[in-house]
Amino acid sequence: MLLRVDITFGVVLGLLLIVAVAVAALAHLGRAREIAVAGVRAALQLGAVSFVIGWVIGSVPPLLGFVALMFAVAVRTAGRRVTANGTWWWTAVPIAVAVGPVMALLLLTGVVPAKGIALIPVTGILIGGALTATVLGGRRALDELHARRGEVEAGLALGLPDRDARMEVARPAAADALLPGLDQTRTVGLVTLPGAFVGMLLGGASPVLAGAVQLFVLVALMAVQAVAVSVVLELVARGRIDRDG
């Protein structure tokens, strides 16, 4: 057992959340309230999932409903992070285009069995990766276009189409969204032992099998995130996602 879940666990967890909120407040990071809300939401959501997961994985309709819920929440979260106007719903496209084909490939080849106990965690990991890449790529691209508006206008003056002028400015910044995944993959086993690896070991799997599963997760995530960043960048360059309404 990795952690002993008892009253002490709850107290320590609460203290860590208080520390995170206090540090953010004292450093004037502007995210103290969000950290507190995120911590409480995570506890409530994981508690609810822990109770219903057995029912969800045992039947196809609730399984598909749960996957749809994960996707919907990811789209709404990504959209709100990237822009505050009505174009937020376009963030559904990079997440769907990134996760859909990868999951289809994994299911059709039998790498991931079509069972809820495997489908939900793998889909959740990939949707989470696409969510992160979409948010980082979209925000960085839009921030760069705002800060370097003059360069976009210069490109237009030189005869570049609007999409190409915006792409030249936004592409390098959006590409930075791939760095967290790249660094995690490069340093796996040397700096960190990620959750899938540790979870497999605790479940009784051999170190070789645990390593294979973790490698699969990391490579699949890189594919998903590369697609998500590419698609959200294209949407920003074409003006489908913007901050001007």
Side-chain angles (χ1 to χ4, degrees):
M1 182 181 295
L2 181 62
L3 295 173
R4 188 179 73 251
V5 181
D6 53 17
I7 295 178
T8 303
F9 169 83
V11 172
V12 172
L13 196 61
L15 288 175
L16 289 174
L17 181 59
I18 291 172
V19 168
V21 172
V23 170
L26 292 173
H28 302 289
L29 300 180
R31 301 289 184 182
R33 183 177 181 278
E34 291 185 47
I35 291 173
V37 172
V40 174
R41 280 188 58 174
L44 295 175
Q45 290 165 189
L46 286 174
V49 169
S50 299
F51 281 108
V52 304
I53 195 69
W55 172 69
V56 169
I57 64 177
S59 178
V60 174
L63 171 61
L64 296 178
F66 193 79
V67 172
L69 176 62
M70 288 194 293
F71 175 74
V73 172
V75 170
R76 183 56 177 160
T77 301
R80 291 178 63 186
R81 286 295 185 192
V82 173
T83 180
N85 63 35
T87 63
W88 68 266
W89 67 269
W90 277 100
T91 56
V93 177
I95 296 175
V97 171
V99 176
V102 173
M103 282 305 305
L105 174 65
L106 297 177
L107 289 171
L108 291 174
T109 56
V111 173
V112 174
K115 298 179 180 179
I117 194 65
L119 192 61
I120 286 180
V122 172
T123 305
I125 290 172
L126 297 184
I127 290 177
L131 161 64
T132 301
T134 298
V135 170
L136 293 178
R139 286 177 63 91
R140 292 285 290 121
L142 290 171
D143 288 344
E144 201 74 358
L145 288 174
H146 177 75
R148 299 168 60 186
R149 187 186 301 271
E151 294 180 43
V152 176
E153 294 174 353
L156 294 174
L158 292 174
L160 287 177
D162 185 57
R163 178 261 182 194
D164 294 346
R166 292 163 64 89
M167 183 69 77
E168 288 298 318
V169 171
R171 182 187 286 116
D176 286 347
L178 298 175
L179 292 179
L182 286 172
D183 289 342
Q184 183 182 26
T185 304
R186 286 171 176 163
T187 60
V188 65
L190 298 176
V191 177
T192 61
L193 294 177
F197 182 83
V198 175
M200 290 287 291
L201 289 180
L202 293 175
S206 68
V208 174
L209 179 58
V213 170
Q214 185 61 65
L215 179 61
F216 152 72
V217 169
L218 291 173
V219 174
L221 273 175
M222 283 197 298
V224 164
Q225 291 178 337
V227 173
V229 170
S230 299
V231 174
V232 76
L233 173 62
E234 189 69 34
L235 291 172
V236 169
R238 292 179 180 274
R240 298 295 187 270
I241 298 176
D242 60 49
R243 288 179 180 161
D244 301 322

